[in-house]
Amino acid sequence: MSGVRPADYPPPFASGEVVGRPTDPPDERIEVGVLIVGAGPGGLACAIRLGQLLEEHPDVAERLGDVPVAVLEKGKLPGSHLLSGAVVNPRALRTLFRGRLRMEDLPTYGPVEGEAVYVLTRSKKLRIPPPPTMRNHGNWILSVSQLGRFLAEQAEQAGIALLPETAAERLLVDHGRVVGVRTGDRGRGRAGEQLGTFEPGSDVVARVTVLAEGTAGHLTGAALDHFGLHGANPQVWALGVKEVWRVARPLHRIVHTMGWPLRARARYREFGGSFVYPMGSDLVSLGFVVGLDYRDVELSAHDLLQELKTHPLIAGLLDGGERVAWGAKTITEGGFLSLPRKLSAPGLLLVGEGAGLVNVPRLKGVHFAVESGRLAAEAAFRALRRGELPGRVGALDAYDEALRESYLWRDLYEVRNMRQVFDKGLVGGGARASMMTVTRGKLPPKDYGTEPNAAAELIRTGRAASYPQPDGTLTFDKLSSVFAAGNRTRDDQPSHLRVRRRVPRELAEMWTWMCPAQVYEVGEEDGDGTVQVKLTPSNCVQCGAITAKGGRLTPPEGGSGPEYTLT
């Protein structure tokens, strides 16, 4: 063991830095009725439902001013930063569009036709019956980036103002209630100096602010700290790396794998697996996910995916095909026991994955985001009716009450301990998870804790020796993958990554291997066992892994990052 823990080297960042009062003069602030931060499924579902309610109640829309609802999106366009599997439970989308649209009207690849689950060894496979939590009959296959663009179109048709390329940099809090956000500056140089293209950020103030930032949300984390909303367990994450392939032969079922190339022994703490989903007759979505509580310095989600593709099962599916897209994103994994104790505060609502609403055992989060967005919209609308003050303490409690009465809460409660037990290894964790499934979470009678991802003590086992060399046909390096993501981060803007720049070698190497976009590099030795950490922030695809493993991702200039279209 190295004795090195990422948590012992916290980043130069405090959440209080990004919480403050408005600074623009009152007459220069941008005023909206409801402000939604994040144009993902949760934020856009919230916007669409608000549009429906305001159409039914034009008097409320009129009182909210010229811009009743606005959505800020830090990506180039809605969908640019969205990545998921995705096999989606259609329940929430059907509820959102009831009487207006059917699933057949949405951009999908149709319902799941069949499924297979395999346990892999290095060269063999064993097909097993799908565990109850992984059965997908009745679910639909889609690209979440395509879904995001479609939902954005629906929101705009409902009169919602969408503001892309706009990063929310600071949460505005005045007299104990959230009153909006401040957007980031544009056109600053690497040292923070103003360039010729400089545009200052603005205070965007609102009666209700909805944070729908997705995984490892910048302002969501600050809000949890500021209002003391953290749950019983700390939040934890996994990292997923995904490719889209054009294939020679159609795939007619969804595929999940577990086992190889991860190691089953508990000491490694390697939890995860892969998915392969058909996207029509000529495309497949292929991804690998690994929990970020792993310990090995040389573990790399990107390289695990490349290694997986050398297995005969996966290589056979891809034979004769070509990679057309790549991306990476963290997945919130803490579950029910890591949920905030409240998902509202005065003037504020938290929705979707940023709030922790992900069912990890079922591999489902999109429909939770949509449903929570819809419920948030209805709670916000009630608080905006005449006679109510949305910034009043308790004015938005209806959102928490609706969540607790929903199927989201029941589903998450039943699997509340399932992620934690896999700290015992694949075999021990699988046995305990089966007991939880059979009893619908009634056994075991106690709740299990988690520790932050960054608290795991690092070990070194020579893991990288098994990774295949990139051949540019089946396996690929990180830099060519970043190019495939359409990354467009300006290389002379200030760094948006907060990490210690002088750390033990083991930690610097861990960051280097962990990052799927080759952002971090081990620099010069300092002579005392530490090294300098070199950064290339323009490579970053904003996956969020660094926030889980000892650093902090903050928003770069609006419009930066990947431009996902198929993920």
Side-chain angles (χ1 to χ4, degrees):
M1 293 188 181
S2 70
V4 174
R5 302 173 190 269
D8 294 335
Y9 301 89
F13 176 85
S15 61
E17 297 176 33
V18 296
V19 177
R21 299 178 67 179
T23 54
D24 286 343
D27 61 345
E28 295 181 13
R29 298 171 189 170
I30 300 172
E31 295 186 7
V32 304
V34 178
L35 177 64
I36 300 168
V37 180
L44 291 169
C46 183
I48 290 167
R49 182 60 182 144
L50 280 168
Q52 295 168 354
L53 291 167
L54 294 175
E55 182 182 16
E56 296 166 5
H57 299 85
D59 59 312
V60 179
E62 184 176 354
R63 285 193 292 107
L64 292 180
D66 294 337
V67 185
V69 184
V71 180
L72 303 186
E73 168 53 39
K74 61 184 172 63
K76 177 70 174 176
L77 295 168
S80 292
H81 290 180
L82 296 180
L83 181 146
S84 184
V87 172
V88 174
N89 183 322
R91 180 175 181 176
L93 287 165
R94 285 175 171 151
T95 302
L96 178 66
F97 290 118
R98 182 178 294 138
R100 295 174 174 87
L101 295 172
R102 304 171 303 154
M103 283 301 296
E104 290 79 3
D105 299 320
L106 275 63
T108 78
Y109 297 97
V112 172
E113 296 180 2
E115 56 190 321
V117 178
Y118 296 94
V119 177
L120 301 184
T121 64
R122 174 64 189 84
S123 59
K124 297 181 180 180
K125 65 181 187 295
L126 172 65
R127 186 169 180 176
I128 63 173
T133 56
M134 297 176 68
R135 293 172 187 167
N136 282 281
H137 177 73
N139 294 332
W140 288 61
I141 303 168
L142 53 78
S143 155
V144 74
S145 60
Q146 292 176 343
L147 176 67
R149 289 193 293 277
F150 175 83
L151 294 177
E153 292 170 0
Q154 299 300 309
E156 287 188 308
Q157 290 175 17
I160 308 303
L162 261 64
L163 304 174
E165 299 188 79
T166 306
E169 193 170 79
R170 188 189 313 160
L171 188 68
L172 301 181
V173 179
D174 196 9
H175 294 97
R177 68 182 184 93
V178 174
V179 296
V181 305
R182 182 166 183 84
T183 64
D185 295 343
R186 297 171 60 86
R188 287 193 180 274
R190 189 174 286 113
E193 72 276 17
Q194 296 182 11
L195 304 178
T197 56
F198 176 74
E199 299 175 14
S202 300
D203 289 347
V204 184
V205 296
R207 302 187 191 189
V208 177
T209 301
V210 181
L211 295 184
E213 297 176 291
T215 178
H218 174 61
L219 296 185
T220 301
L224 295 178
D225 288 344
H226 183 81
F227 290 102
L229 299 178
H230 288 284
N233 284 350
Q235 191 56 266
V236 294
W237 291 269
L239 176 59
V241 179
K242 171 178 173 175
E243 297 178 351
V244 178
W245 280 67
R246 181 168 289 109
V247 292
R249 295 167 298 281
L251 178 66
H252 296 293
R253 65 186 187 279
I254 65 171
V255 175
H256 292 103
T257 78
M258 59 185 74
W260 185 89
L262 297 179
R263 295 171 291 188
R265 289 179 59 188
R267 72 181 292 254
Y268 301 118
R269 299 180 69 168
E270 295 178 7
F271 172 79
S274 80
F275 61 86
V276 189
Y277 300 155
M279 300 172 66
S281 62
D282 62 342
L283 295 174
V284 299
S285 169
L286 165 72
F288 198 90
V289 178
V290 62
L292 285 169
D293 53 344
Y294 70 80
R295 301 181 62 202
D296 199 304
V297 167
E298 295 178 355
L299 197 76
S300 162
H302 173 84
D303 291 295
L304 287 171
L305 177 58
Q306 307 314 307
E307 190 173 9
L308 174 79
K309 289 186 293 183
T310 67
H311 192 281
L313 171 66
I314 307 301
L317 296 175
L318 302 180
D319 184 43
E322 64 171 331
R323 188 179 73 164
V324 297
W326 174 94
K329 201 78 171 175
T330 48
I331 302 162
T332 309
E333 280 204 331
F336 184 86
L337 297 173
S338 296
L339 289 176
R341 61 180 184 84
K342 287 189 67 177
L343 283 84
S344 66
L348 176 69
L349 296 167
L350 306 174
V351 308
E353 186 173 359
L357 295 169
V358 178
N359 188 325
V360 173
R362 292 192 181 277
L363 310 177
K364 296 290 177 286
V366 173
H367 76 289
F368 278 19
V370 171
E371 181 69 0
S372 65
R374 182 182 71 83
L375 295 176
E378 293 178 353
F381 180 77
R382 281 193 290 271
L384 291 166
R385 301 294 296 270
R386 193 177 299 278
E388 181 57 279
L389 297 173
R392 175 182 63 82
V393 174
L396 297 171
D397 283 355
Y399 175 55
D400 290 281
E401 294 166 5
L403 280 174
R404 285 177 167 81
E405 294 171 0
S406 72
Y407 64 86
L408 278 69
W409 211 255
R410 292 191 297 272
D411 288 356
L412 287 173
Y413 181 79
E414 289 181 2
V415 298
R416 66 194 181 281
N417 285 309
M418 203 169 286
R419 171 63 180 89
Q420 296 94 298
V421 299
F422 281 94
D423 288 347
K424 309 295 183 183
L426 180 61
V427 176
R432 290 171 173 82
S434 297
M435 176 176 62
M436 295 173 191
T437 301
V438 170
T439 64
R440 292 185 177 273
K442 294 178 181 177
L443 292 177
K446 66 176 182 177
D447 290 335
Y448 289 92
T450 57
E451 67 175 13
N453 294 145
E457 187 174 346
L458 301 180
I459 61 175
R460 187 189 298 275
T461 68
R463 182 69 179 83
S466 67
Y467 298 148
Q469 289 297 312
D471 61 17
T473 302
L474 178 65
T475 56
F476 299 87
D477 63 18
K478 291 180 177 181
L479 285 181
S480 66
S481 300
V482 173
F483 181 79
N487 198 21
R488 50 176 285 121
T489 303
R490 183 166 56 85
D491 62 7
D492 62 345
Q493 66 175 279
S495 176
H496 60 286
L497 299 163
R498 304 280 190 93
V499 296
R500 289 273 191 98
R501 301 301 291 271
R502 179 182 173 184
V503 298
R505 173 175 284 278
E506 293 91 339
L507 180 54
E509 289 187 13
M510 187 275 289
W511 286 338
T512 300
W513 284 106
M514 174 195 72
C515 178
Q518 202 166 315
V519 169
Y520 307 93
E521 185 179 346
V522 178
E524 295 180 0
E525 294 267 7
D526 287 324
D528 58 357
T530 64
V531 297
Q532 298 293 323
V533 179
K534 299 171 66 176
L535 302 180
T536 309
S538 58
N539 284 0
C540 181
V541 293
Q542 302 177 40
C543 73
I546 192 63
T547 296
K549 293 293 265 187
R552 177 76 178 211
L553 172 71
T554 69
E557 182 177 285
S560 301
E563 289 191 18
Y564 297 140
T565 58
L566 285 172
T567 56

